[in-house]
PDB file of all heavy atoms in Angstrom:
ATOM      1  N   LEU A  54      -9.621   3.854 -18.276  1.00 95.00           N
ATOM      2  CA  LEU A  54     -10.479   4.068 -19.481  1.00 95.00           C
ATOM      3  C   LEU A  54     -10.778   5.519 -19.602  1.00 95.00           C
ATOM      4  O   LEU A  54     -10.917   6.138 -20.698  1.00 95.00           O
ATOM      5  CB  LEU A  54     -11.685   3.247 -19.356  1.00 95.00           C
ATOM      6  CG  LEU A  54     -11.531   1.713 -19.369  1.00 95.00           C
ATOM      7  CD1 LEU A  54     -12.844   1.026 -18.919  1.00 95.00           C
ATOM      8  CD2 LEU A  54     -11.006   1.267 -20.690  1.00 95.00           C
ATOM      9  N   SER A  55     -11.010   6.170 -18.483  1.00 96.00           N
ATOM     10  CA  SER A  55     -11.170   7.617 -18.408  1.00 96.00           C
ATOM     11  C   SER A  55     -10.876   8.103 -17.013  1.00 96.00           C
ATOM     12  O   SER A  55     -10.668   7.340 -16.087  1.00 96.00           O
ATOM     13  CB  SER A  55     -12.686   7.951 -18.740  1.00 96.00           C
ATOM     14  OG  SER A  55     -13.555   7.334 -17.858  1.00 96.00           O
ATOM     15  N   GLY A  56     -10.850   9.423 -16.878  1.00 97.00           N
ATOM     16  CA  GLY A  56     -10.455  10.051 -15.501  1.00 97.00           C
ATOM     17  C   GLY A  56      -8.980  10.215 -15.457  1.00 97.00           C
ATOM     18  O   GLY A  56      -8.173   9.846 -16.459  1.00 97.00           O
ATOM     19  N   GLN A  57      -8.498  10.829 -14.414  1.00 96.00           N
ATOM     20  CA  GLN A  57      -7.093  11.070 -14.229  1.00 96.00           C
ATOM     21  C   GLN A  57      -6.560  10.838 -12.828  1.00 96.00           C
ATOM     22  O   GLN A  57      -7.328  10.809 -11.845  1.00 96.00           O
ATOM     23  CB  GLN A  57      -6.886  12.580 -14.404  1.00 96.00           C
ATOM     24  CG  GLN A  57      -6.687  13.016 -15.829  1.00 96.00           C
ATOM     25  CD  GLN A  57      -6.013  14.374 -15.900  1.00 96.00           C
ATOM     26  OE1 GLN A  57      -5.724  15.098 -14.836  1.00 96.00           O
ATOM     27  NE2 GLN A  57      -5.785  14.853 -17.126  1.00 96.00           N
ATOM     28  N   VAL A  58      -5.254  10.385 -12.798  1.00 97.00           N
ATOM     29  CA  VAL A  58      -4.632  10.380 -11.544  1.00 97.00           C
ATOM     30  C   VAL A  58      -3.547  11.422 -11.570  1.00 97.00           C
ATOM     31  O   VAL A  58      -2.757  11.564 -12.532  1.00 97.00           O
ATOM     32  CB  VAL A  58      -3.884   9.000 -11.336  1.00 97.00           C
ATOM     33  CG1 VAL A  58      -3.096   8.959 -10.047  1.00 97.00           C
ATOM     34  CG2 VAL A  58      -4.856   7.825 -11.386  1.00 97.00           C
ATOM     35  N   ARG A  59      -3.537  12.348 -10.544  1.00 97.00           N
ATOM     36  CA  ARG A  59      -2.435  13.381 -10.538  1.00 97.00           C
ATOM     37  C   ARG A  59      -1.703  13.237  -9.218  1.00 97.00           C
ATOM     38  O   ARG A  59      -2.220  12.859  -8.180  1.00 97.00           O
ATOM     39  CB  ARG A  59      -3.095  14.732 -10.600  1.00 97.00           C
ATOM     40  CG  ARG A  59      -3.602  15.104 -12.049  1.00 97.00           C
ATOM     41  CD  ARG A  59      -4.002  16.576 -12.161  1.00 97.00           C
ATOM     42  NE  ARG A  59      -5.074  16.861 -11.186  1.00 97.00           N
ATOM     43  CZ  ARG A  59      -6.373  16.639 -11.416  1.00 97.00           C
ATOM     44  NH1 ARG A  59      -6.686  16.161 -12.586  1.00 97.00           N
ATOM     45  NH2 ARG A  59      -7.232  16.915 -10.527  1.00 97.00           N
ATOM     46  N   TYR A  60      -0.444  13.712  -9.343  1.00 97.00           N
ATOM     47  CA  TYR A  60       0.367  13.699  -8.149  1.00 97.00           C
ATOM     48  C   TYR A  60       1.115  15.025  -8.077  1.00 97.00           C
ATOM     49  O   TYR A  60       1.849  15.336  -8.979  1.00 97.00           O
ATOM     50  CB  TYR A  60       1.403  12.566  -8.255  1.00 97.00           C
ATOM     51  CG  TYR A  60       2.131  12.227  -7.000  1.00 97.00           C
ATOM     52  CD1 TYR A  60       1.524  11.853  -5.788  1.00 97.00           C
ATOM     53  CD2 TYR A  60       3.546  12.307  -6.946  1.00 97.00           C
ATOM     54  CE1 TYR A  60       2.186  11.499  -4.645  1.00 97.00           C
ATOM     55  CE2 TYR A  60       4.229  12.048  -5.807  1.00 97.00           C
ATOM     56  CZ  TYR A  60       3.599  11.684  -4.635  1.00 97.00           C
ATOM     57  OH  TYR A  60       4.278  11.383  -3.591  1.00 97.00           O
ATOM     58  N   ASP A  61       0.929  15.793  -6.979  1.00 94.00           N
ATOM     59  CA  ASP A  61       1.437  17.145  -6.931  1.00 94.00           C
ATOM     60  C   ASP A  61       1.044  17.945  -8.220  1.00 94.00           C
ATOM     61  O   ASP A  61       1.878  18.705  -8.718  1.00 94.00           O
ATOM     62  CB  ASP A  61       2.968  17.078  -6.787  1.00 94.00           C
ATOM     63  CG  ASP A  61       3.402  16.687  -5.428  1.00 94.00           C
ATOM     64  OD1 ASP A  61       2.533  16.764  -4.484  1.00 94.00           O
ATOM     65  OD2 ASP A  61       4.574  16.321  -5.197  1.00 94.00           O
ATOM     66  N   GLY A  62      -0.168  17.756  -8.607  1.00 93.00           N
ATOM     67  CA  GLY A  62      -0.645  18.418  -9.803  1.00 93.00           C
ATOM     68  C   GLY A  62      -0.252  17.926 -11.120  1.00 93.00           C
ATOM     69  O   GLY A  62      -0.692  18.348 -12.154  1.00 93.00           O
ATOM     70  N   GLU A  63       0.659  16.988 -11.151  1.00 94.00           N
ATOM     71  CA  GLU A  63       1.231  16.419 -12.365  1.00 94.00           C
ATOM     72  C   GLU A  63       0.519  15.130 -12.811  1.00 94.00           C
ATOM     73  O   GLU A  63       0.220  14.340 -11.908  1.00 94.00           O
ATOM     74  CB  GLU A  63       2.666  16.017 -12.208  1.00 94.00           C
ATOM     75  CG  GLU A  63       3.568  16.327 -13.334  1.00 94.00           C
ATOM     76  CD  GLU A  63       5.010  16.022 -13.005  1.00 94.00           C
ATOM     77  OE1 GLU A  63       5.495  16.562 -11.994  1.00 94.00           O
ATOM     78  OE2 GLU A  63       5.647  15.159 -13.778  1.00 94.00           O
ATOM     79  N   LYS A  64       0.131  15.087 -14.074  1.00 96.00           N
ATOM     80  CA  LYS A  64      -0.673  13.908 -14.486  1.00 96.00           C
ATOM     81  C   LYS A  64       0.220  12.636 -14.567  1.00 96.00           C
ATOM     82  O   LYS A  64       1.256  12.504 -15.161  1.00 96.00           O
ATOM     83  CB  LYS A  64      -1.100  14.236 -15.923  1.00 96.00           C
ATOM     84  CG  LYS A  64      -2.158  13.269 -16.443  1.00 96.00           C
ATOM     85  CD  LYS A  64      -2.711  13.801 -17.742  1.00 96.00           C
ATOM     86  CE  LYS A  64      -3.286  12.629 -18.530  1.00 96.00           C
ATOM     87  NZ  LYS A  64      -3.038  12.676 -19.964  1.00 96.00           N
ATOM     88  N   LEU A  65      -0.306  11.560 -13.896  1.00 96.00           N
ATOM     89  CA  LEU A  65       0.359  10.254 -13.860  1.00 96.00           C
ATOM     90  C   LEU A  65      -0.205   9.310 -14.927  1.00 96.00           C
ATOM     91  O   LEU A  65       0.422   8.399 -15.325  1.00 96.00           O
ATOM     92  CB  LEU A  65       0.251   9.569 -12.569  1.00 96.00           C
ATOM     93  CG  LEU A  65       0.991  10.117 -11.317  1.00 96.00           C
ATOM     94  CD1 LEU A  65       0.863   9.228 -10.139  1.00 96.00           C
ATOM     95  CD2 LEU A  65       2.417  10.504 -11.579  1.00 96.00           C
ATOM     96  N   THR A  66      -1.499   9.503 -15.223  1.00 94.00           N
ATOM     97  CA  THR A  66      -2.184   8.606 -16.121  1.00 94.00           C
ATOM     98  C   THR A  66      -1.458   8.585 -17.422  1.00 94.00           C
ATOM     99  O   THR A  66      -1.096   9.599 -17.934  1.00 94.00           O
ATOM    100  CB  THR A  66      -3.623   9.073 -16.303  1.00 94.00           C
ATOM    101  OG1 THR A  66      -3.983  10.113 -15.380  1.00 94.00           O
ATOM    102  CG2 THR A  66      -4.620   7.963 -16.178  1.00 94.00           C
ATOM    103  N   GLY A  67      -1.134   7.441 -17.905  1.00 92.00           N
ATOM    104  CA  GLY A  67      -0.420   7.337 -19.196  1.00 92.00           C
ATOM    105  C   GLY A  67       1.018   6.989 -19.006  1.00 92.00           C
ATOM    106  O   GLY A  67       1.729   6.475 -19.895  1.00 92.00           O
ATOM    107  N   LEU A  68       1.579   7.244 -17.741  1.00 95.00           N
ATOM    108  CA  LEU A  68       2.990   6.956 -17.531  1.00 95.00           C
ATOM    109  C   LEU A  68       3.117   5.440 -17.293  1.00 95.00           C
ATOM    110  O   LEU A  68       2.186   4.727 -16.851  1.00 95.00           O
ATOM    111  CB  LEU A  68       3.449   7.616 -16.301  1.00 95.00           C
ATOM    112  CG  LEU A  68       3.555   9.142 -16.348  1.00 95.00           C
ATOM    113  CD1 LEU A  68       4.136   9.733 -15.121  1.00 95.00           C
ATOM    114  CD2 LEU A  68       4.322   9.620 -17.610  1.00 95.00           C
ATOM    115  N   ARG A  69       4.349   4.875 -17.511  1.00 95.00           N
ATOM    116  CA  ARG A  69       4.639   3.519 -17.297  1.00 95.00           C
ATOM    117  C   ARG A  69       4.982   3.247 -15.806  1.00 95.00           C
ATOM    118  O   ARG A  69       5.381   4.238 -15.163  1.00 95.00           O
ATOM    119  CB  ARG A  69       5.803   2.972 -18.135  1.00 95.00           C
ATOM    120  CG  ARG A  69       5.604   3.072 -19.624  1.00 95.00           C
ATOM    121  CD  ARG A  69       4.256   2.892 -20.221  1.00 95.00           C
ATOM    122  NE  ARG A  69       3.500   1.687 -19.743  1.00 95.00           N
ATOM    123  CZ  ARG A  69       2.174   1.613 -19.699  1.00 95.00           C
ATOM    124  NH1 ARG A  69       1.411   2.636 -20.021  1.00 95.00           N
ATOM    125  NH2 ARG A  69       1.661   0.489 -19.266  1.00 95.00           N
ATOM    126  N   PRO A  70       4.852   2.086 -15.292  1.00 94.00           N
ATOM    127  CA  PRO A  70       5.099   1.797 -13.883  1.00 94.00           C
ATOM    128  C   PRO A  70       6.455   2.314 -13.370  1.00 94.00           C
ATOM    129  O   PRO A  70       6.521   2.920 -12.260  1.00 94.00           O
ATOM    130  CB  PRO A  70       5.019   0.275 -13.733  1.00 94.00           C
ATOM    131  CG  PRO A  70       4.016  -0.125 -14.912  1.00 94.00           C
ATOM    132  CD  PRO A  70       4.397   0.746 -15.957  1.00 94.00           C
ATOM    133  N   HIS A  71       7.530   2.102 -14.116  1.00 91.00           N
ATOM    134  CA  HIS A  71       8.867   2.547 -13.643  1.00 91.00           C
ATOM    135  C   HIS A  71       8.918   4.040 -13.527  1.00 91.00           C
ATOM    136  O   HIS A  71       9.657   4.550 -12.693  1.00 91.00           O
ATOM    137  CB  HIS A  71       9.932   1.911 -14.415  1.00 91.00           C
ATOM    138  CG  HIS A  71      10.050   2.507 -15.842  1.00 91.00           C
ATOM    139  ND1 HIS A  71       9.330   2.076 -16.947  1.00 91.00           N
ATOM    140  CD2 HIS A  71      10.816   3.615 -16.324  1.00 91.00           C
ATOM    141  CE1 HIS A  71       9.566   2.793 -18.006  1.00 91.00           C
ATOM    142  NE2 HIS A  71      10.465   3.737 -17.673  1.00 91.00           N
ATOM    143  N   GLN A  72       8.180   4.769 -14.407  1.00 94.00           N
ATOM    144  CA  GLN A  72       8.191   6.241 -14.313  1.00 94.00           C
ATOM    145  C   GLN A  72       7.364   6.667 -13.059  1.00 94.00           C
ATOM    146  O   GLN A  72       7.801   7.639 -12.362  1.00 94.00           O
ATOM    147  CB  GLN A  72       7.474   6.812 -15.577  1.00 94.00           C
ATOM    148  CG  GLN A  72       8.310   6.512 -16.816  1.00 94.00           C
ATOM    149  CD  GLN A  72       7.514   6.922 -18.089  1.00 94.00           C
ATOM    150  OE1 GLN A  72       6.300   6.556 -18.274  1.00 94.00           O
ATOM    151  NE2 GLN A  72       8.177   7.663 -18.946  1.00 94.00           N
ATOM    152  N   ILE A  73       6.384   5.939 -12.726  1.00 95.00           N
ATOM    153  CA  ILE A  73       5.548   6.283 -11.518  1.00 95.00           C
ATOM    154  C   ILE A  73       6.332   6.085 -10.277  1.00 95.00           C
ATOM    155  O   ILE A  73       6.384   6.880  -9.344  1.00 95.00           O
ATOM    156  CB  ILE A  73       4.219   5.504 -11.614  1.00 95.00           C
ATOM    157  CG1 ILE A  73       3.405   6.129 -12.786  1.00 95.00           C
ATOM    158  CG2 ILE A  73       3.433   5.687 -10.286  1.00 95.00           C
ATOM    159  CD1 ILE A  73       2.091   5.470 -13.089  1.00 95.00           C
ATOM    160  N   VAL A  74       7.158   5.008 -10.202  1.00 92.00           N
ATOM    161  CA  VAL A  74       8.021   4.699  -9.072  1.00 92.00           C
ATOM    162  C   VAL A  74       9.023   5.864  -8.955  1.00 92.00           C
ATOM    163  O   VAL A  74       9.234   6.324  -7.824  1.00 92.00           O
ATOM    164  CB  VAL A  74       8.854   3.379  -9.231  1.00 92.00           C
ATOM    165  CG1 VAL A  74       9.908   3.264  -8.230  1.00 92.00           C
ATOM    166  CG2 VAL A  74       7.842   2.214  -9.187  1.00 92.00           C
ATOM    167  N   ARG A  75       9.488   6.364 -10.022  1.00 90.00           N
ATOM    168  CA  ARG A  75      10.434   7.585  -9.942  1.00 90.00           C
ATOM    169  C   ARG A  75       9.761   8.813  -9.478  1.00 90.00           C
ATOM    170  O   ARG A  75      10.488   9.802  -9.032  1.00 90.00           O
ATOM    171  CB  ARG A  75      11.096   7.766 -11.289  1.00 90.00           C
ATOM    172  CG  ARG A  75      12.120   6.617 -11.596  1.00 90.00           C
ATOM    173  CD  ARG A  75      12.969   7.028 -12.791  1.00 90.00           C
ATOM    174  NE  ARG A  75      13.638   5.789 -13.304  1.00 90.00           N
ATOM    175  CZ  ARG A  75      14.787   5.365 -12.699  1.00 90.00           C
ATOM    176  NH1 ARG A  75      15.329   5.890 -11.700  1.00 90.00           N
ATOM    177  NH2 ARG A  75      15.371   4.220 -13.233  1.00 90.00           N
ATOM    178  N   HIS A  76       8.480   8.905  -9.443  1.00 93.00           N
ATOM    179  CA  HIS A  76       7.757   9.954  -8.853  1.00 93.00           C
ATOM    180  C   HIS A  76       7.647   9.761  -7.317  1.00 93.00           C
ATOM    181  O   HIS A  76       7.090  10.636  -6.652  1.00 93.00           O
ATOM    182  CB  HIS A  76       6.289  10.131  -9.400  1.00 93.00           C
ATOM    183  CG  HIS A  76       6.272  10.973 -10.657  1.00 93.00           C
ATOM    184  ND1 HIS A  76       6.595  10.465 -11.858  1.00 93.00           N
ATOM    185  CD2 HIS A  76       5.937  12.249 -10.820  1.00 93.00           C
ATOM    186  CE1 HIS A  76       6.451  11.424 -12.777  1.00 93.00           C
ATOM    187  NE2 HIS A  76       5.940  12.513 -12.194  1.00 93.00           N
ATOM    188  N   GLY A  77       8.079   8.598  -6.854  1.00 94.00           N
ATOM    189  CA  GLY A  77       8.055   8.455  -5.365  1.00 94.00           C
ATOM    190  C   GLY A  77       6.858   7.660  -4.912  1.00 94.00           C
ATOM    191  O   GLY A  77       6.508   7.611  -3.717  1.00 94.00           O
ATOM    192  N   ILE A  78       6.181   6.918  -5.828  1.00 96.00           N
ATOM    193  CA  ILE A  78       4.984   6.152  -5.439  1.00 96.00           C
ATOM    194  C   ILE A  78       5.388   4.693  -5.570  1.00 96.00           C
ATOM    195  O   ILE A  78       5.753   4.165  -6.702  1.00 96.00           O
ATOM    196  CB  ILE A  78       3.849   6.481  -6.459  1.00 96.00           C
ATOM    197  CG1 ILE A  78       3.484   7.961  -6.314  1.00 96.00           C
ATOM    198  CG2 ILE A  78       2.662   5.613  -6.115  1.00 96.00           C
ATOM    199  CD1 ILE A  78       2.412   8.381  -7.215  1.00 96.00           C
ATOM    200  N   VAL A  79       5.300   3.921  -4.505  1.00 95.00           N
ATOM    201  CA  VAL A  79       5.794   2.553  -4.488  1.00 95.00           C
ATOM    202  C   VAL A  79       4.673   1.688  -3.834  1.00 95.00           C
ATOM    203  O   VAL A  79       4.046   2.003  -2.901  1.00 95.00           O
ATOM    204  CB  VAL A  79       7.064   2.415  -3.704  1.00 95.00           C
ATOM    205  CG1 VAL A  79       7.542   0.947  -3.695  1.00 95.00           C
ATOM    206  CG2 VAL A  79       8.238   3.252  -4.420  1.00 95.00           C
ATOM    207  N   GLN A  80       4.398   0.573  -4.599  1.00 94.00           N
ATOM    208  CA  GLN A  80       3.350  -0.300  -4.127  1.00 94.00           C
ATOM    209  C   GLN A  80       3.895  -1.645  -3.552  1.00 94.00           C
ATOM    210  O   GLN A  80       4.886  -2.166  -4.123  1.00 94.00           O
ATOM    211  CB  GLN A  80       2.438  -0.652  -5.282  1.00 94.00           C
ATOM    212  CG  GLN A  80       1.335  -1.684  -4.999  1.00 94.00           C
ATOM    213  CD  GLN A  80       0.448  -1.899  -6.129  1.00 94.00           C
ATOM    214  OE1 GLN A  80       0.458  -1.147  -7.171  1.00 94.00           O
ATOM    215  NE2 GLN A  80      -0.389  -2.870  -6.041  1.00 94.00           N
ATOM    216  N   VAL A  81       3.317  -2.143  -2.535  1.00 95.00           N
ATOM    217  CA  VAL A  81       3.669  -3.422  -1.996  1.00 95.00           C
ATOM    218  C   VAL A  81       2.373  -4.303  -2.370  1.00 95.00           C
ATOM    219  O   VAL A  81       1.303  -4.075  -1.779  1.00 95.00           O
ATOM    220  CB  VAL A  81       3.798  -3.472  -0.401  1.00 95.00           C
ATOM    221  CG1 VAL A  81       4.140  -4.854   0.032  1.00 95.00           C
ATOM    222  CG2 VAL A  81       5.015  -2.499  -0.074  1.00 95.00           C
ATOM    223  N   SER A  82       2.610  -5.350  -3.208  1.00 88.00           N
ATOM    224  CA  SER A  82       1.480  -6.048  -3.688  1.00 88.00           C
ATOM    225  C   SER A  82       1.099  -7.129  -2.646  1.00 88.00           C
ATOM    226  O   SER A  82       1.889  -7.483  -1.737  1.00 88.00           O
ATOM    227  CB  SER A  82       1.765  -6.734  -5.019  1.00 88.00           C
ATOM    228  OG  SER A  82       2.709  -7.879  -4.786  1.00 88.00           O
ATOM    229  N   GLU A  83      -0.056  -7.673  -2.735  1.00 85.00           N
ATOM    230  CA  GLU A  83      -0.665  -8.611  -1.819  1.00 85.00           C
ATOM    231  C   GLU A  83       0.182  -9.877  -1.795  1.00 85.00           C
ATOM    232  O   GLU A  83       0.378 -10.429  -0.695  1.00 85.00           O
ATOM    233  CB  GLU A  83      -2.150  -8.925  -2.192  1.00 85.00           C
ATOM    234  CG  GLU A  83      -2.826  -9.696  -1.177  1.00 85.00           C
ATOM    235  CD  GLU A  83      -4.352  -9.987  -1.582  1.00 85.00           C
ATOM    236  OE1 GLU A  83      -4.717  -9.470  -2.662  1.00 85.00           O
ATOM    237  OE2 GLU A  83      -5.013 -10.574  -0.814  1.00 85.00           O
ATOM    238  N   ASP A  84       0.758 -10.242  -2.899  1.00 81.00           N
ATOM    239  CA  ASP A  84       1.574 -11.497  -2.829  1.00 81.00           C
ATOM    240  C   ASP A  84       3.059 -11.334  -2.515  1.00 81.00           C
ATOM    241  O   ASP A  84       3.850 -12.226  -2.546  1.00 81.00           O
ATOM    242  CB  ASP A  84       1.367 -12.402  -4.051  1.00 81.00           C
ATOM    243  CG  ASP A  84       1.648 -11.583  -5.258  1.00 81.00           C
ATOM    244  OD1 ASP A  84       2.255 -10.527  -5.146  1.00 81.00           O
ATOM    245  OD2 ASP A  84       1.144 -11.992  -6.366  1.00 81.00           O
ATOM    246  N   ARG A  85       3.404 -10.049  -2.191  1.00 80.00           N
ATOM    247  CA  ARG A  85       4.639  -9.594  -1.657  1.00 80.00           C
ATOM    248  C   ARG A  85       5.860  -9.636  -2.597  1.00 80.00           C
ATOM    249  O   ARG A  85       6.831  -8.917  -2.461  1.00 80.00           O
ATOM    250  CB  ARG A  85       5.048 -10.465  -0.356  1.00 80.00           C
ATOM    251  CG  ARG A  85       4.015 -10.126   0.706  1.00 80.00           C
ATOM    252  CD  ARG A  85       3.966 -11.128   1.866  1.00 80.00           C
ATOM    253  NE  ARG A  85       2.781 -10.890   2.611  1.00 80.00           N
ATOM    254  CZ  ARG A  85       2.253 -11.762   3.562  1.00 80.00           C
ATOM    255  NH1 ARG A  85       2.902 -12.958   3.632  1.00 80.00           N
ATOM    256  NH2 ARG A  85       1.168 -11.520   4.129  1.00 80.00           N
ATOM    257  N   ASP A  86       5.776 -10.580  -3.659  1.00 85.00           N
ATOM    258  CA  ASP A  86       6.815 -10.622  -4.666  1.00 85.00           C
ATOM    259  C   ASP A  86       8.261 -10.698  -4.180  1.00 85.00           C
ATOM    260  O   ASP A  86       9.104  -9.999  -4.742  1.00 85.00           O
ATOM    261  CB  ASP A  86       6.660  -9.450  -5.604  1.00 85.00           C
ATOM    262  CG  ASP A  86       5.343  -9.485  -6.430  1.00 85.00           C
ATOM    263  OD1 ASP A  86       4.905 -10.540  -6.659  1.00 85.00           O
ATOM    264  OD2 ASP A  86       4.883  -8.355  -6.720  1.00 85.00           O
TER     265      ASP A  86
END
Side-chain angles (χ1 to χ4, degrees):
L54 299 167
S55 60
Q57 269 200 1
V58 178
R59 284 189 303 274
Y60 190 63
D61 286 342
E63 215 176 305
K64 189 172 157 217
L65 293 187
T66 350
L68 296 183
R69 302 325 312 152
H71 69 277
Q72 297 171 308
I73 291 173
V74 170
R75 288 189 194 281
H76 273 80
I78 301 178
V79 178
Q80 177 177 349
V81 179
S82 74
E83 189 175 358
D84 52 19
R85 296 162 195 162
D86 294 331

